[in-house]
Amino acid sequence: MSQPILSVQELHCHYLTRHHTIRAVDGVSFDLFPNEILGIIGESGSGKSTLAHSLIGQLNSFTQICEGNILFKDRSIKTFSEKDWQQLRGRHIGIIFQSAEASFNPTMTIGQHIVEALLIHQQCNRQNARLHAINSLKMVGMPNPDKIMQCYPFELSGGMCQRAALALAMSLQPQLLIADEPTASLDIVAQSEIVLLLNNLREQFGLTMVIISHDLGLVARLADKIAVMADGKILEMSTTEQILTSPSHDYTKSLLTSMPPFDIN
Ligand SMILES: Nc1ncnc2c1ncn2[C@@H]1O[C@H](COP(=O)(O)OP(=O)(O)OP(=O)(O)O)[C@@H](O)[C@H]1O
Ligand SMILES: [Mg+2]
């Protein structure tokens, strides 16, 4: 079997508030192999976003402690310099934040975001970066990519903003894509389109993904394996089929019974 692209080992991330410590991620371990999609589900506050932020090294503020280890392609993040992190974040790991707008600076157009990211991370001139940016917007099914290049994030609808965030992340051709609630606040048609798009990107580019959601039905359409989180811990992790057909934890069973029926194929 190939080496994991990502290995999370007994990870703990805590927030220190004035009165107490919140154990947002409390001993999480998993391996993610190339071209695999891991779905992480769990109720609000179970630690999913904290886990996602830890994977891109955004937990270094004084209010959080992180213990355990994360290996990206066999290299411990503990050995990473700030320059390593910058390269890792853009070039190797793409992230779509829970709120797609959070991926953007409101004073810059969508085009400026993608072009600047390409100029920083790839050896190309501004004209090629612009062409590449338009292609990235086309790739995620954005209508009128030339026009979208000129738009500010607040001028886009929720679904368009999700697509633009995906285009920004994909423009640097990352090996690993982390999508935190990629379809939150989208209508059902836009949700299905994003699921289709993520599946296509995986097939086309051999992407490895971590998809985070509170929606088991959505995750089941994408993921090879699913981790169920509660109170900062992984209650159970198994193949998608196993989770859907014979879950071992009561919380997973209750998620399944509250889910509308759907066809996984
Ligand atoms: N910056 C912060 N300071 C203090 N506590 C925080 C901070 N961010 C998150 N938390 C707490 O950490 C816990 C996990 O939060 P997190 O956002 O990771 O959950 P989540 O599973 O992503 O939830 P949701 O499904 O609502 O997005 C929660 O108890 C939350 O209140
Ligand atoms: Mg979250």
Side-chain angles (χ1 to χ4, degrees), residues 32 35-39 199 202 207 209 211 222-225:
L32 186 61
N35 201 215
E36 217 176 17
I37 300 187
L38 168 68
N199 263 325
R202 179 220 206 155
L207 257 188
M209 291 190 226
I211 307 285
L222 284 162
D224 301 302
K225 59 185 183 188

Side-chain angles (χ1 to χ4, degrees), residues 15 17 22 24 42-51 63-64 98 180-181 214:
Y15 296 100
T17 67
I22 298 168
E43 63 194 2
S44 191
S46 55
K48 305 180 298 296
S49 294
T50 305
L51 175 60
T63 53
Q64 298 149 346
Q98 180 156 6
D180 190 358
E181 301 280 3
H214 59 271

Side-chain angles (χ1 to χ4, degrees), residues 14 16 22 41 47 87 92 97 107 127 138 142 164-166 171 175 194-196 211 217 227 239 242 252 254:
H14 301 168
L16 306 180
I22 298 168
I41 58 156
Q87 282 201 336
H92 301 290
F97 292 103
T107 65
Q127 196 186 355
K138 276 187 194 152
M142 193 72 102
L166 191 54
S171 64
Q175 292 152 305
I194 295 281
V195 169
L196 203 65
I211 307 285
T239 63
Q242 184 96 23
T252 318
S254 67

Side-chain angles (χ1 to χ4, degrees), residues 9 13 64 92 126 146 231 237:
Q9 302 173 344
C13 304
Q64 298 149 346
H92 301 290
R126 195 165 280 278
D146 285 294
D231 295 331
M237 179 159 63

Side-chain angles (χ1 to χ4, degrees), residues 241-254:
E241 194 183 347
Q242 184 96 23
I243 291 282
L244 293 179
T245 53
S246 48
S248 58
H249 204 280
D250 283 346
Y251 176 66
T252 318
K253 287 176 193 163
S254 67

